[in-house]
Amino acid sequence: MGETVLHLRVIAPTDRSPAVVDLLAADPGVTHLVVLAGAARQPAGDYVTCDVVRESADGVLRKLQELGVEARGAIAADDVELTLSAAADRAAEAAPGHGEDAVVWDEIAAKTGEQTVLTGTFLALITVATMIAGIGVLLDQPILIVGAMVVGPEFGPLAALCVALLRRQPHIIGRSVHALVVGFLAAMLVTVLSTWALTAAGLVSRDMLLAERPLTDFIWRPDALSWVVGLLAGIAGMLSLTSKKSGSLVGVLISVTTVPAAANVAVAAAYGVWHEAAGSALQLVINLAAIVLAGLLTLVVQLCWWRRVQRRTTRGVPRQRADRRPARVSASRRPPRDGG
């Protein structure tokens, strides 16, 4: 069967290359190991490639960094969409845990770290989502609320904040909070202005906000279930992120009322309905806090679980891997072609 693996490309400094090769050859989750001595030029060193099953990837990456490969060479990893290999199947069977549950911490940190940059695209998406939700609030249309939830990009910085809190990275924490605060404030300000513009055009009115809205009034009426839903969404969102289940993430995005709550704050403020604006603001804070708390706790549980799995594996008898030690092929002395 096809296993979920990462393809590693390593440029190992010449003096560290034997240790790197020995490390990879000894790990039961590593297969398809190839070494090209002296093939790398910038930076200079040996070029080493291999495939590693996801359940072993985090430990392999951490040990490579401990060898100093990251500082003087390079480490790159890509997902392999399809692997048809009996060797990969054996590696998956030998490695501890299951690939679907494996967490590659460097991969998660890199992925979420990209979401902390306050880009024009991020501002545009969160602003458009909030404006859509603002119209949905006035029209009492859940379909518009759901659409706004899907468009909103706020889960990226929230996930990055959870990872940064776990790894104690103050600069990432600051960037995540900055992106969230500036993003929501900018989106709410534009939504206030757009609400005034739509009112002036006669398309919406204050009476629409004050009318009975049975389908969307939960947005500004937070209760205990708001906290529960936020916690569950944080757990599901982090699991979908760490296990690469992106399909589940869409469900998370439409289960919490972060963007709709921000939109209701803006619309209510535009019309001076301050009690509703306050209720929506509380809903927003509850959801954001619940998602971060649940996401952080989920990461802590995953970290403890995988440390337990690794300790249990380390206490086992190490396997002999001499048969898997690759031959070092000199870049300048490759085997001649047939007839050459």
Side-chain angles (χ1 to χ4, degrees):
M1 62 179 177
E3 298 297 339
T4 304
V5 302
L6 291 179
H7 181 64
L8 296 186
R9 304 187 308 278
V10 179
I11 296 180
T14 304
D15 60 327
R16 305 305 299 164
S17 181
V20 168
V21 174
D22 289 343
L23 164 66
L24 296 176
D27 193 287
V30 174
T31 187
H32 308 153
L33 182 56
V34 178
V35 181
L36 298 176
R41 293 292 180 265
Q42 182 60 35
D46 294 347
Y47 184 62
V48 183
T49 69
C50 67
D51 289 334
V52 54
V53 293
R54 286 190 64 85
E55 48 266 52
S56 293
D58 186 67
V60 169
L61 290 172
R62 185 177 65 253
K63 292 174 183 177
L64 287 173
Q65 293 175 66
E66 291 173 354
L67 289 175
V69 175
E70 180 184 22
R72 297 173 50 203
I75 306 171
D78 298 307
D79 280 307
V80 179
E81 296 297 333
L82 176 64
T83 303
L84 301 178
S85 167
D89 292 342
R90 289 192 296 269
E93 293 175 358
H98 193 282
E100 290 292 331
D101 299 328
V103 180
V104 184
W105 294 102
D106 286 311
E107 178 188 50
I108 300 303
K111 183 185 302 182
T112 56
E114 297 173 354
Q115 308 298 319
T116 63
V117 180
L118 189 62
T119 62
T121 301
F122 177 84
L123 287 174
L125 285 174
I126 196 169
T127 299
V128 169
T130 306
M131 292 173 66
I132 293 173
I135 296 173
V137 164
L138 291 172
L139 296 178
D140 195 31
Q141 285 293 329
I143 189 64
L144 295 178
I145 300 298
V146 171
M149 290 176 177
V150 174
V151 173
E154 75 280 3
F155 187 77
L158 288 172
L161 179 59
C162 295
V163 175
L165 287 171
L166 179 67
R167 296 169 69 102
R168 300 177 184 177
Q169 298 172 312
H171 64 292
I172 300 296
I173 294 174
R175 284 166 48 185
S176 301
V177 173
H178 178 257
L180 289 168
V181 172
V182 174
F184 274 115
L185 289 179
M188 287 189 286
L189 176 59
V190 174
T191 302
V192 169
L193 297 177
S194 68
T195 301
W196 287 342
L198 292 173
T199 303
L203 298 176
V204 297
S205 67
R206 189 172 189 269
D207 292 338
M208 298 173 66
L209 182 69
L210 297 177
E212 290 293 326
R213 293 179 285 127
L215 299 180
T216 58
D217 66 351
F218 69 92
I219 295 174
W220 65 277
R221 298 178 187 271
D223 54 21
L225 287 178
S226 300
W227 180 256
V228 172
V229 171
L231 288 173
L232 295 176
I235 294 172
M238 195 55 64
L239 287 175
S240 67
L241 185 66
T242 57
S243 64
K244 304 181 70 61
K245 294 290 187 181
S246 58
S248 303
L249 188 56
V250 175
V252 173
L253 297 177
I254 62 176
S255 64
V256 291
T257 54
T258 48
V259 165
N264 210 111
V265 171
V267 172
Y271 289 132
V273 185
W274 299 112
H275 71 283
E276 189 165 328
S280 302
L282 180 59
Q283 179 79 273
L284 176 62
V285 172
I286 288 175
N287 278 276
L288 292 176
I291 290 173
V292 172
L293 176 60
L296 179 59
L297 291 177
T298 301
L299 290 174
V300 170
V301 171
Q302 289 179 298
L303 178 62
C304 294
W305 169 259
W306 276 103
R307 283 182 175 175
R308 179 183 177 186
V309 170
Q310 291 170 352
R311 284 196 301 268
R312 187 168 64 244
T313 304
T314 302
R315 287 196 293 266
V317 179
R319 297 181 141 192
Q320 296 297 325
R321 300 291 301 276
D323 59 316
R324 293 181 59 185
R325 188 179 302 278
R328 293 169 59 86
V329 180
S330 172
S332 60
R333 295 184 179 179
R334 294 186 177 90
R337 298 179 179 176
D338 293 341

